[in-house]
Amino acid sequence: MALLDINFHSMTLGKHHTFKVILPEQQDMFQTDKPVKKLRTLLLLHGLSSDDSMFSRYTNVEMYANTHNLAVVMPNADHSFYQNMKYGHSYYDHVLEVWRYAHQVLPLSWEREDNYVAGNSMGGFGAFHFAMNVPELFEKAVMMSAALDMDASFIDYDWHDFDGRAVFGDIEDISGTAMDTRHTVLQAAQTHGIENLPELYFMCGTEDELIDRTDSFMKFLEDTHIPHKYDREPGEHNWSYWDKGIRKAIDWIFEGKEVDKDNQIMNWVG
């Protein structure tokens, strides 16, 4: 596996910025007489206290990706909640820019059936947001311990140098805003059609402070007949849970899919 640390000039942010890519090596990458087969790709989004390095540092995602011949693109979105911030950078646009840039310069498939999005905590909110707003890009979406079903009090969430008002604006009523994930679902269903939304997989630990909000949001999805999978099991809001979670996520993504083992290079076996 290749681990790429890419520093590029973001046309969206107007500055240089970084993202990381886990890139499986294939036999045809070393054979100049044939084209390289395009890879399936997971867009993997970090949480509020993290950056683009954390999944490769605190989980075995590289090993899980190697097993499935899966490329993993990990952008860096600061404290933005993957939004075009009210007072700050346009990170929603930037993440899509990273996705397109990576697909343009690396051997990644553009086909919807070969692309997926996932994230933890703030990244779970981001994964859900992209799944609902650009469902034509992703076949499946995985939300781990996601910040969903928030209320207006989250604007004043107390975390080191995080300012919810910088992200979402000076709002007192979240109805119809990006914070309103129920509205996001209903709008996506109306705009794109339920049948055209990505397959959705949610997971949250029962010891996680977000479990009650997750439970209430799952009830809302059931009531509105939005198909989804939900794993509610013991676990906390930490990397031990997300390491298990990202492995389950990748296994779920590949249900019913075949891996080209003849072209695959397994390089974590000793």
Side-chain angles (χ1 to χ4, degrees), residues 24 31 35 41 56 67 79 100 109 115 137 145 147 151 189 200 234 246:
Q31 300 166 352
T41 306
S56 58
T67 301
H79 283 172
R100 294 185 176 108
S109 169
N115 283 278
L137 298 185
S145 312
D151 56 37
L200 304 174
I246 195 60

Side-chain angles (χ1 to χ4, degrees), residues 242-257:
W242 299 322
D243 179 47
K244 297 174 184 175
I246 195 60
R247 183 172 191 171
K248 291 196 306 178
I250 293 174
D251 286 344
W252 174 73
I253 284 170
F254 276 83
E255 287 180 359
K257 299 183 184 295

Side-chain angles (χ1 to χ4, degrees), residues 1 22 40-44 55 59-73 116-118 139-142 144 201 203 229 242-257 259:
M1 298 286 280
I22 296 170
R40 295 178 174 121
T41 306
L42 173 65
L43 179 65
L44 186 56
F55 270 99
T59 76
N60 285 315
V61 65
E62 183 173 350
M63 183 174 72
Y64 309 146
N66 194 182
T67 301
H68 295 84
N69 223 35
L70 175 70
V72 183
V73 175
Y116 327 101
V117 61
E139 182 192 50
K140 296 184 177 184
V142 182
M144 300 181 291
Y201 182 11
M203 57 183 81
K229 173 181 171 68
W242 299 322
D243 179 47
K244 297 174 184 175
I246 195 60
R247 183 172 191 171
K248 291 196 306 178
I250 293 174
D251 286 344
W252 174 73
I253 284 170
F254 276 83
E255 287 180 359
K257 299 183 184 295
V259 176

